[in-house]
Amino acid sequence: MKLQSGYLADFLSLLFPQLCPACGTELVANEKIICTDCHYNLPLTNFHFQADNIVAQQFWGKVNLEGAYALYYFTKGGKVQNLMHHFKYNGMQQIGNLLGNVAGNQLIKNEKFAGVNYIIPVPLHKSRLKERGYNQSACFARGLAEKLNGVVEENNLVRTRATETQTHRSRFARFENMQEVFVVVNPDKLKNQHVLLVDDIVTTGSTLEACAIPLLKIPGLKLSIATIAYAE
């Protein structure tokens, strides 16, 4: 039976080859989701080794963080952009879980991320969630949780209104667009906890900053940030 299943899988792969969402090459045996070349050669930031990395610098003087991190560098037209497009718009939720595992394996080596209790994805507004069908940041959070032993908390931080796209806005305009958008529903649950706030891509950090402000009003809460990619 297993032999027959193997033949069937090989036959189906001939008819419907699986392609790497980052580079578009056909996946071969034992490759899952991303090809081996991309898995080892996508542009890692190694920010887990740099306390003063450029993501952390985005928040200096704005919000107090234990640590800040992004897994990859994002460049326009690059492989990471291809990967993120398939992840966000083509329904490939499994990419988020995989990259969460990869990021988690890095973050467990950094003491600043030790002892994370809750992992909170940046929430989508309910209208956007209905349109897309899933929150890509939540997929990433679940992959991280498998490695960091944190609990994913999806419904405590909520987005109270939909916002216009941040693309092409200045940093100040992005910050203004995000004012008072996020609310914590049950702050008592997060008292004296180490929370990891996660998103897919960080650019100016305005969305993450807007999420961090209500979270950091909770007594004793320590906050860290992790994203899949950093875009300049």
Side-chain angles (χ1 to χ4, degrees):
M1 188 67 177
K2 289 183 179 179
L3 185 62
Q4 290 178 342
S5 298
Y7 281 131
L8 179 60
D10 290 341
F11 177 70
L12 290 174
S13 69
L14 290 174
L15 295 178
F16 308 102
Q18 290 185 301
L19 305 180
C20 173
C23 68
T25 60
E26 184 176 341
L27 299 181
V28 298
N30 299 320
E31 289 184 336
K32 295 182 178 180
I33 306 174
I34 298 173
C35 73
T36 303
D37 183 67
C38 286
H39 184 74
Y40 287 102
N41 293 302
L42 286 174
L44 292 168
T45 66
N46 290 315
F47 285 168
H48 58 300
F49 292 132
Q50 306 167 28
D52 60 348
N53 66 70
I54 198 165
V55 175
Q57 292 177 32
Q58 297 272 24
F59 301 96
W60 286 356
K62 300 180 181 71
V63 292
N64 186 30
L65 299 177
E66 298 295 309
Y69 162 91
L71 176 61
Y72 297 124
Y73 288 106
F74 179 103
T75 55
K76 190 173 182 179
K79 292 181 179 179
V80 174
Q81 183 179 26
N82 296 338
L83 192 63
M84 298 304 294
H85 181 84
H86 284 285
F87 177 34
K88 292 178 69 172
Y89 304 114
N90 289 351
M92 295 189 69
Q93 299 181 52
Q94 64 272 32
I95 291 173
N97 188 268
L98 171 66
L99 299 185
N101 283 178
V102 174
N105 283 331
Q106 290 192 347
L107 291 180
I108 57 177
K109 301 172 184 177
N110 186 328
E111 62 181 12
K112 288 184 177 294
F113 293 87
V116 165
N117 305 109
Y118 290 102
I119 302 174
I120 296 182
V122 170
L124 294 177
H125 187 264
K126 59 184 180 181
S127 61
R128 181 65 60 81
L129 184 61
K130 182 178 180 180
E131 175 186 340
R132 185 171 296 164
Y134 60 96
N135 179 353
Q136 72 277 2
S137 297
C139 300
F140 180 52
R142 288 190 283 272
L144 280 166
E146 291 175 6
K147 300 299 180 178
L148 298 179
N149 296 318
V151 176
V152 179
E153 184 83 350
E154 286 193 53
N155 300 311
N156 206 340
L157 182 70
V158 298
R159 187 183 292 249
T160 59
R161 61 180 172 85
T163 53
E164 297 178 8
T165 179
Q166 299 281 67
T167 307
H168 306 308
R169 290 175 179 264
S170 67
R171 179 182 176 87
F172 179 75
R174 289 180 184 221
F175 180 75
E176 286 289 297
N177 190 43
M178 299 307 299
Q179 286 301 289
E180 299 180 355
V181 171
F182 301 100
V183 172
V184 180
V185 176
N186 183 7
D188 287 343
K189 187 174 184 179
L190 302 178
K191 283 182 179 178
N192 302 310
Q193 303 297 307
H194 187 176
V195 171
L196 181 61
L197 178 66
V198 302
D199 203 0
D200 53 357
I201 300 173
V202 57
T203 49
T204 65
S206 56
T207 300
L208 287 162
E209 183 180 345
C211 290
I213 289 171
L215 285 169
L216 286 171
K217 292 177 180 178
I218 300 171
L221 185 143
K222 296 189 298 183
L223 186 65
S224 295
I225 282 173
T227 68
I228 296 173
Y230 165 71
E232 296 183 278

